[in-house]
Amino acid sequence: MTTTLELLPLADDRTSLAEEQDDVRGMTVLDVREHRVGEVEEILVDSVDHRARLLVVASGGILGIGEHKRLVPVDAVSRVRAHVRLERSDLHVASGFDYDPELPGPVDYGPVYSYFGYTPFWEDGYQSPYFLDRRW
């Protein structure tokens, strides 16, 4: 089943987060081995629950040139403190899905969740705790 949703970037004036503390933009992202993956550049938010659903992690490049932007489900976040810690390796993220804000919506995000091994939030059986619960 292909599911297409229009998740909106937090920077878009049409959306907001249910909890302000979910705004982790600008935070460094570390992988499971504490290797630097990049930085949270943007957060894609669902327009119904106003929850962060995907992080846009930027890495590489200089002044935005040659920079890679990858999608990471918030389900992959193991904790948030001074940085965002993921349950996956930097190589796993680097081999994942690119973020292209110019793609016309709606976009099928199912493959992103599948690649990371998580049930998408819109499917029956979704039970993963929301990443806000991992702030400690």
Side-chain angles (χ1 to χ4, degrees):
M1 175 177 137
T2 300
T3 300
T4 54
L5 300 170
E6 184 175 15
L7 297 180
L8 300 172
L10 185 55
D12 189 311
D13 292 337
R14 298 177 292 162
T15 195
S16 62
L17 286 167
E19 300 285 337
E20 285 185 36
Q21 63 184 341
D22 292 351
D23 189 352
V24 294
R25 290 177 295 179
M27 293 183 79
T28 298
V29 178
L30 300 178
D31 74 357
V32 69
R33 301 170 298 174
E34 297 196 25
H35 293 161
R36 187 178 191 285
V37 177
E39 184 175 290
V40 178
E41 181 175 286
E42 185 57 271
I43 301 170
L44 300 184
V45 180
D46 80 75
S47 59
V48 175
D49 296 324
H50 297 278
R51 296 288 189 185
R53 298 302 182 183
L54 293 167
L55 303 178
V56 177
V57 178
S59 63
I62 298 175
L63 300 174
I65 299 171
E67 183 177 62
H68 297 281
K69 297 177 185 179
R70 306 280 192 234
L71 292 171
V72 177
V74 296
D75 307 78
V77 174
S78 61
R79 75 172 179 240
V80 178
R81 280 194 186 153
H83 54 267
V84 174
R85 172 78 52 94
L86 300 179
E87 296 175 340
R88 300 291 188 270
S89 74
D90 57 339
L91 299 174
H92 190 87
V93 174
S95 298
F97 289 84
D98 290 330
Y99 172 65
D100 183 356
E102 303 302 317
L103 284 178
V107 175
D108 180 10
Y109 294 105
V112 177
Y113 282 88
S114 178
Y115 173 75
F116 279 89
Y118 298 107
T119 300
F121 68 93
W122 61 84
E123 286 189 6
D124 290 338
Y126 178 74
Q127 296 179 355
S128 181
Y130 185 61
F131 90 123
L132 168 65
D133 300 334
R134 298 177 185 145
R135 259 191 188 278
W136 48 280

